[in-house]
Amino acid sequence: MTAVTLGPEGTYSHRAATAIADGDEIDFRQSVTAIVDAVARGEHDRGVIPIENSIEGSVTESLDALAEYDVAVVREIVTPIRHALLAQGPEFDTIASHSQALAQCRSYLDREYPDATLEAVASTAQGVEFAREDPSVAGIGHPDNASNGIEVLAEDIQDQDSNATRFFALAPAEERSKGGGKSTLVVYPNANYPGLLLELLEPFADRDINLTRVESRPSGQRLGDYVFHIDIEAGLYEARTKEAIEDLEKLAEKGWVRRLGSYDTEHVVG
Ligand SMILES: O=C(O)C(=O)C[C@]1(C(=O)O)C=C[C@@H](O)C=C1
């Protein structure tokens, strides 16, 4: 088995991938879309991408890639995110990190470094790489990235102690599973009328299926046109889920419903 995730080595996605990859070979890409593309093409058996953070919310590039490519979600990984400030020394004027990490540390950065230039880069580990090359740059990332001239200047700088991110482990579409305690659906109704969202959610409420997340993303077709990402606490194998999805498909007859798969959740520490 080979897995692919966000690089370079040392990202939180890499740490999540290591937790499920059982010592498998891990390859890296510079963006979430490139990871999903690699799995859809069958270049790798597994891909690990961030989905949602407890402070900053959805990783929108991930949601959009899941609506665009045909892949399966086979596992959910939830892990605490504890950020450190890393640099060659205290004299820097730029702080580089993933946009999610910069946002998760907003209060700390406003308070401690109000004059620093914040630079969004491809990943947290990429920001630390820049800091390693340039003393005027600091990175925000996992403290284990401190080595080869980089030190930890501050730890636990995220705005909330409970900071956590959900990741999805992806597999090629043929490996989609119906077994698992949670399922993810993507719905494009290709319609817009009063009460549409209410109607889309009723099939689940009527069958006592708990929703754990509903997120709307612009379809990209026209303003006000949305794709809905729905996570439910039920497996695709269950009769009630099958019936709810049949109702959903009728409501979305001008668009489409994609079942990304059923899966279980793994909580990984650090
Ligand atoms: O840059 C990284 O280290 C990542 O794995 C990406 C990512 C994200 O996109 O949310 C993952 C976890 C943290 O929330 C911060 C950044």
Side-chain angles (χ1 to χ4, degrees), residues 2 22-23 31 36 41 45 52 66 68 78 92 102 116 127 130 149 156 172-173 192 201 216 234 240 248 252 257 265:
T2 66
D22 283 338
S31 76
V36 181
R41 286 169 188 276
D45 306 301
E52 185 186 8
L66 290 176
E68 186 183 338
V78 178
F92 55 83
L102 291 170
F130 289 146
D156 275 332
N192 183 13
L201 302 183
S216 52
R240 59 179 183 156
L248 204 59
V257 176
T265 307

Side-chain angles (χ1 to χ4, degrees), residues 198-211 240 243-244 247 251:
L198 183 65
E199 284 185 12
L200 293 176
L201 302 183
E202 261 166 359
F204 302 103
D206 290 349
R207 293 170 180 89
D208 215 17
I209 297 176
N210 191 33
L211 303 182
R240 59 179 183 156
E243 289 167 16
D247 285 0
L251 292 164

Side-chain angles (χ1 to χ4, degrees), residues 76-269:
E76 176 181 68
I77 306 145
V78 178
T79 181
I81 303 287
R82 310 190 77 97
H83 291 300
L85 184 68
L86 301 135
Q88 293 186 26
E91 302 301 322
F92 55 83
D93 52 36
T94 300
I95 303 174
S97 196
H98 191 280
S99 57
Q100 275 272 345
L102 291 170
Q104 291 161 26
C105 303
R106 197 173 283 134
S107 310
Y108 171 83
L109 295 174
D110 284 350
R111 193 175 65 240
E112 301 293 329
Y113 297 97
D115 298 326
T117 303
L118 304 183
E119 197 182 325
V121 296
S123 69
T124 56
Q126 181 74 76
V128 179
E129 279 301 302
F130 289 146
R132 196 167 277 122
E133 288 158 13
D134 183 345
S136 73
V137 177
I140 291 175
H142 193 282
D144 281 1
N145 288 299
S147 62
N148 299 334
I150 288 289
E151 54 179 294
V152 174
L153 299 182
E155 274 194 88
D156 275 332
I157 62 169
Q158 65 282 346
D159 290 350
Q160 302 285 341
D161 251 11
S162 56
N163 193 25
T165 296
R166 282 173 74 210
F167 296 83
F168 275 167
L170 308 177
E174 319 78 76
E175 286 184 53
R176 185 165 298 134
S177 162
K178 290 184 176 164
K182 284 183 78 179
S183 305
T184 291
L185 307 163
V186 188
V187 184
Y188 177 52
N190 193 16
N192 183 13
Y193 55 84
L196 168 65
L197 181 56
L198 183 65
E199 284 185 12
L200 293 176
L201 302 183
E202 261 166 359
F204 302 103
D206 290 349
R207 293 170 180 89
D208 215 17
I209 297 176
N210 191 33
L211 303 182
T212 54
R213 185 182 59 134
V214 180
E215 188 81 38
S216 52
R217 288 289 302 149
S219 69
Q221 303 296 320
R222 52 192 176 269
L223 206 56
D225 193 46
Y226 293 100
V227 171
F228 298 98
H229 293 253
I230 302 176
D231 290 348
I232 59 172
E233 234 166 18
L236 288 170
Y237 68 93
E238 294 182 53
R240 59 179 183 156
T241 313
K242 284 185 203 151
E243 289 167 16
I245 295 175
E246 274 167 29
D247 285 0
L248 204 59
E249 280 175 330
K250 280 181 211 139
L251 292 164
E253 60 180 359
K254 290 200 210 120
W256 45 261
V257 176
R258 184 172 299 154
R259 299 154 178 78
L260 292 185
S262 298
Y263 49 85
D264 287 319
T265 307
E266 190 159 329
H267 292 266
V268 172
V269 180

